[in-house]
Amino acid sequence: QVQLVESGGGLVQAGGSLRLSCAASGSIYSINAMRWYRQAPGKQRELVAAITSGGSTNYIDAVKGRFTITRDNAQNTVYLQMNSQKPEDAAIYFCDGDIRVSANYEYDYWGQGTQVTVSS
């Protein structure tokens, strides 16, 4: 059993910054790719950023230059640093990870999400 728990959400002013964390725990053999998604009310879930086990990153155009995804493998944690926040960044942010629970089995796990509200 593996759990992903997001934290760091809250209220931030437009133009401000916030850092989200996602900590994985449980029977973890290794963690491969990790991703951050977000979903605003009435909107479809969208991928925001991704990071491979080797540290390669990808971002959607809407957040390039403003958001940074990083990981701390020793702590089984992935972060999303969000700078220059805009009202349209408001959403529930979810982390998603490809996690190996043994040498031969890998599954996709999701956290419960953390709310980010941006005031204008």
Side-chain angles (χ1 to χ4, degrees):
Q1 179 74 273
V2 172
Q3 292 184 320
L4 270 60
V5 179
E6 302 96 336
S7 62
L11 175 65
V12 63
Q13 296 177 243
S17 299
L18 205 61
R19 188 176 78 156
L20 306 182
S21 299
C22 175
S25 62
S27 185
I28 300 171
Y29 183 84
S30 66
I31 300 178
N32 294 314
M34 297 290 289
R35 310 169 190 87
W36 283 99
Y37 287 83
R38 68 185 181 187
Q39 186 167 21
K43 303 291 185 179
Q44 295 294 316
R45 183 194 68 185
E46 66 174 346
L47 176 68
V48 177
I51 185 167
T52 68
S53 60
S56 179
T57 60
N58 285 287
Y59 305 89
I60 57 171
D61 290 342
V63 307
K64 284 183 179 177
R66 300 190 298 118
F67 290 12
T68 303
I69 185 171
T70 57
R71 63 191 293 162
D72 184 340
N73 292 329
Q75 298 296 128
N76 290 331
T77 301
V78 63
Y79 304 93
L80 184 67
Q81 178 68 46
M82 304 183 291
N83 297 329
S84 302
Q85 293 228 259
K86 303 176 179 180
E88 49 263 46
D89 293 326
I92 299 176
Y93 284 72
F94 300 89
C95 69
D96 163 51
D98 298 329
I99 300 175
R100 298 183 70 84
V101 297
S102 70
N104 299 314
Y105 294 93
E106 181 178 298
Y107 301 98
D108 184 51
Y109 291 92
W110 288 82
Q112 294 300 304
T114 185
Q115 178 73 56
V116 171
T117 302
V118 184
S119 62
S120 59

